[in-house]
Amino acid sequence: MIHPIVKFGDPVLETPTKWVEKFDEDLQKLVDDMFESMYAASGVGLAAPQIGLGQRITVIDVSNGKTPEARIVLANPEIIYADGQQREEEGCLSIPGFRGYVERPQYVTVRAQDAQGNIFERKGEGLLARAFCHEIDHLNGVLFISHLSMLKRDMIKRKIRKMKKAGEW
Ligand code: NI
């Protein structure tokens, strides 16, 4: 089932999520829905708050659905290693139409649980490292615009407020 993507302004996006404790059929269904919703929106990552759920789980696929092995489920993830630097333009399905340069580590290793609850570690470099950081930020209630300069962030927020007034958000 494809869920609509929650947009900036909804408090769920800025609220830290709750730990996933039950690794059951419902969670597997949620993961399937999250992948489906992410591909439908042409995203490379989707965190549960983006479909309105305050759960500490995210899905990532930096291959855009081209490589099955690229499908990553991170439940209760934490970054256990980060090194290097990259500065690239970043966007977010919940803030459509806006992008900004964000500095992230070039190498990131996460420890997480999969949809069955098995603990694993995964290394990411470049775009995948960026996706790990961006999605784990979501689970902490943090959006990429909070990494931009105050000037740029306020400009984006002002434009969104205008769009909201005009019924375009
Ligand atoms: Ni995002």
Side-chain angles (χ1 to χ4, degrees):
M1 180 188 153
I2 294 172
H3 294 261
I5 308 289
V6 171
K7 285 195 205 169
F8 178 77
D10 189 317
V12 73
L13 291 174
E14 292 175 90
T15 308
T17 51
K18 292 207 177 82
W19 228 249
V20 175
E21 284 170 355
K22 269 194 196 163
F23 294 87
D24 54 9
E25 278 169 31
D26 289 347
L27 189 74
Q28 185 56 57
K29 172 82 175 83
L30 171 64
V31 165
D32 293 344
D33 283 359
M34 285 175 71
F35 273 114
E36 208 182 334
S37 305
M38 180 183 78
Y39 293 133
S42 302
V44 297
L46 186 76
Q50 294 183 278
I51 56 166
L53 290 174
Q55 289 208 60
R56 202 164 175 81
I57 187 162
T58 177
V59 298
I60 294 170
D61 180 353
V62 295
S63 84
N64 283 309
K66 289 186 196 95
T67 322
E69 312 88 79
R71 287 166 66 110
I72 300 172
V73 177
L74 302 177
N76 303 327
E78 52 177 334
I79 292 173
I80 56 168
Y81 173 83
D83 194 26
Q85 259 185 8
Q86 55 167 323
R87 189 177 157 80
E88 296 291 340
E89 239 188 357
E90 205 165 303
C92 179
L93 293 176
S94 294
I95 314 176
F98 297 96
R99 298 180 70 79
Y101 282 88
V102 179
E103 207 166 277
R104 301 282 193 187
Q106 174 70 8
Y107 305 95
V108 172
T109 305
V110 292
R111 182 183 293 144
Q113 285 168 280
D114 64 18
Q116 287 76 44
N118 305 304
I119 296 170
F120 67 98
E121 288 178 13
R122 179 102 183 216
K123 285 181 187 172
E125 182 182 344
L127 179 59
L128 184 56
R130 174 171 297 280
F132 284 158
C133 296
H134 181 110
E135 299 311 324
I136 292 172
D137 266 359
H138 268 300
L139 301 180
N140 295 328
V142 175
L143 299 168
F144 85 92
I145 55 171
S146 64
H147 297 293
L148 305 177
S149 69
M150 201 192 285
L151 194 74
K152 173 105 193 196
R153 182 167 61 248
D154 286 349
M155 193 189 74
I156 291 174
K157 285 185 177 175
R158 215 169 31 244
K159 282 184 181 167
I160 291 174
R161 266 200 300 276
K162 268 191 192 167
M163 290 169 79
K164 259 189 190 163
K165 269 190 188 162
E168 294 162 354
W169 187 258

